[in-house]
């Protein structure tokens, strides 16, 4: 019978312990690899940091990374490139919703593969924001928790075809600048001489850009305080010189009920004020300085100022004062830089559209139609003609606003 020394026995015991740990799977986790779960490429999400698994190999075949816009139905806050020059960034090869509101919509991923239909849900925080699926090019807007496809009108400009805004202003004109204290937005201004005026006003200072105050909401949504529409439900237009489109009551700083009734009605709690600061105008509405949605110390451009511009341009305000963007104006002689913004309209059957961009621009006046209290007056500017004092139903249109400094 073979015998072992105490030292030999200790060695054998240690060897057996080591073998048992390997055979039974000891607590050294670095030597153990858990089998991968059977899953589609979009069901497992990595942090996108490029770290490897225990074998030193990246599991790229079974892991989708949010940071690379891979094949998930994630919403992305990425933008669409340099829109001022008309360019777009290359879309990712996936069904990714890109927020075009300029604000982050947050990133969330579903557990479906890239072949699944697009996720058309949205959050309350995304209400009113627009999105574009980069794979299909379709545009949607968030309404009541769902993404509703935006049907482009025949005259609407597609998202991929923006305007070159480098021609918006006249480099030969000396512009001023005004910062709206409400939101910090800066506007160029121009000062135009009256030459003569029966009330002794020598000059007037005007925004050289359309007002762009307020939060964008979807076209057709009832406008309230500090809200606006952007052409084609696309915030790019508001953010790049075209400005907001406002219903009449909102432009005047009145509640929405004043669009459907005369402001003389008890249902409309707001009225025009002809007293005190406007006493010098003798109550004549053409000269009314009504602040409306403009900043403090400024007022909605009235018919008197439009008459001045028409006189200075021999009736062709668009030709002499229009910006060269979209081929609208020719000289932009006085730096007014009018743009052919088009407008929003509600048809009698309830359908709403944005239309006539590149063709005309209309501005609300602080005037009602005395014969039809549900209508308000406006100025219509086209590239070769201007008319002021026409009227439209207040509840069915949204137009641009220019602000004039009180004098």
């Amino acid at each position: 019978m073979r015998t072992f020394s105490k030292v030999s026995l200790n060695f054998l015991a240690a060897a057996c312990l080591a073998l048992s740990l390997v055979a039974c799977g000891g607590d050294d986790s670095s030597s153990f690899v858990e089998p991968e779960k059977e899953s589609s490429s979009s069901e497992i999400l990595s942090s996108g940091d490029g770290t490897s698994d225990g074998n030193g190999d990246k599991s790229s075949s079974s892991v989708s990374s949010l940071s690379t816009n891979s094949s998930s139905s994630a919403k992305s806050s990425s933008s669409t490139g340099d829109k001022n020059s008309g360019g777009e960034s290359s879309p990712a090869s996936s069904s990714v919703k890109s927020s075009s509101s300029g604000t982050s919509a947050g990133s969330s991923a579903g557990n479906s593969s890239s072949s699944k239909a697009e996720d058309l849900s949205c959050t309350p925080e995304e209400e009113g924001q627009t999105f574009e699926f980069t794979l299909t090019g379709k545009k949607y807007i968030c309404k009541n928790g769902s993404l509703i496809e935006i049907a482009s009108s025949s005259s609407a400009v597609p998202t991929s075809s923006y305007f070159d805004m480098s021609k918006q202003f006249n480099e030969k004109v000396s512009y001023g600048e005004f910062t709206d204290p409400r939101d910090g937005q800066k506007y160029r201004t121009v000062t135009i001489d009256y030459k003569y005026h029966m009330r002794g006003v020598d000059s007037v200072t005007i925004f050289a850009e359309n007002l762009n105050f307020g939060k964008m909401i979807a076209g057709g949504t009832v406008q309230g305080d500090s809200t606006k529409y952007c052409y084609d439900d696309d915030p790019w237009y508001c953010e790049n010189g075209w400005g907001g489109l406002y219903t009449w009551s909102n432009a005047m700083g009145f509640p929405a009920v004043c669009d459907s009734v005369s402001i003389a009605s008890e249902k409309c709690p707001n009225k025009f004020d002809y007293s005190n600061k406007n006493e010098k105008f003798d109550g004549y509405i053409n000269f009314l300085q009504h602040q409306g949605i403009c900043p403090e110390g400024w007022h909605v451009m009235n018919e008197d100022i439009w008459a001045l511009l028409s006189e200075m341009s021999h009736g062709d305000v668009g030709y002499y004062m229009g910006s060269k963007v979209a081929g609208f104006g020719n000289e932009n002689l006085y730096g007014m830089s009018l743009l052919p913004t088009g407008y929003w309209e509600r048809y009698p059957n309830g359908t709403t559209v944005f239309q006539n961009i590149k063709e005309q621009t209309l501005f609300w006046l602080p005037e009602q139609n005395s014969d039809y209290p549900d209508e308000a007056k406006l100025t219509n500017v086209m590239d070769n003609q201007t008319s002021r004092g026409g009227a439209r139903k207040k509840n069915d249109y949204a137009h641009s606003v220019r602000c004039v400094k009180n004098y």
Side-chain angles (χ1 to χ4, degrees), residues 41-275:
S41 62
S42 63
E43 289 180 334
I44 304 176
L45 302 178
S46 77
S47 62
D49 58 3
T51 56
S52 61
D53 62 16
N55 293 324
D57 295 326
K58 295 181 182 178
S59 322
S60 59
S61 61
S62 61
V63 179
S64 170
S65 171
L66 285 179
S67 65
T68 56
N69 284 340
S70 58
S71 56
S72 68
S73 297
K75 283 180 288 188
S76 168
S77 61
S78 59
S79 62
T80 55
D82 183 4
K83 295 171 182 176
N84 282 342
S85 59
E88 279 194 314
S89 59
S90 300
S93 56
S94 61
S95 298
V96 177
K97 283 180 286 186
S98 297
S99 169
S100 59
S101 66
T103 58
S104 173
S107 294
S108 61
N111 58 358
S112 59
S113 66
S114 60
S115 61
K116 182 183 177 182
E118 296 164 339
D119 178 13
L120 298 181
S121 64
C122 56
T123 65
E125 291 76 16
E126 295 169 338
E127 183 73 18
Q129 294 186 27
T130 57
F131 297 88
E132 179 180 359
F133 282 90
T134 56
L135 184 62
T136 63
K138 293 182 179 179
K139 291 179 62 181
Y140 297 82
I141 187 164
C142 179
K143 289 185 178 181
N144 300 320
S146 299
L147 292 181
I148 309 300
E149 184 175 357
I150 300 172
S152 297
S153 63
S154 59
S155 60
V157 175
T159 306
S160 60
S161 180
Y162 291 92
F163 298 101
D164 177 5
M165 300 305 297
S166 64
K167 300 179 181 179
Q168 181 179 0
F169 302 105
N170 185 347
E171 297 178 353
K172 298 179 181 179
V173 171
S174 178
Y175 290 97
E177 186 178 88
F178 171 78
T179 301
D180 191 333
R182 299 172 297 181
D183 57 8
Q185 182 153 323
K186 298 181 184 297
Y187 297 90
R188 293 196 189 191
T189 63
V190 290
T191 298
I192 297 178
D193 293 335
Y194 257 108
K195 300 188 184 302
Y196 63 89
H197 197 279
M198 59 183 177
R199 284 171 174 77
V201 179
D202 297 323
S203 63
V204 60
T205 300
I206 310 171
F207 274 19
E209 306 175 58
N210 291 344
L211 183 69
N212 185 34
F213 174 71
K215 176 184 176 182
M216 186 194 102
I217 59 175
T221 306
V222 176
Q223 290 191 1
D225 184 38
S226 302
T227 60
K228 65 188 175 190
Y229 299 155
C230 298
Y231 192 90
D232 207 19
D233 284 327
D234 189 335
W236 183 89
Y237 291 98
C238 284
E239 296 165 0
N240 286 274
W242 299 76
L245 298 172
Y246 303 91
T247 56
W248 184 81
S249 63
N250 193 21
M252 299 302 124
F254 296 164
V257 66
C258 301
D259 278 334
S260 56
V261 298
S262 169
I263 61 171
S265 168
E266 293 182 357
K267 295 181 179 180
C268 179
N270 298 74
K271 318 294 178 188
F272 289 136
D273 180 14
Y274 296 102
S275 63

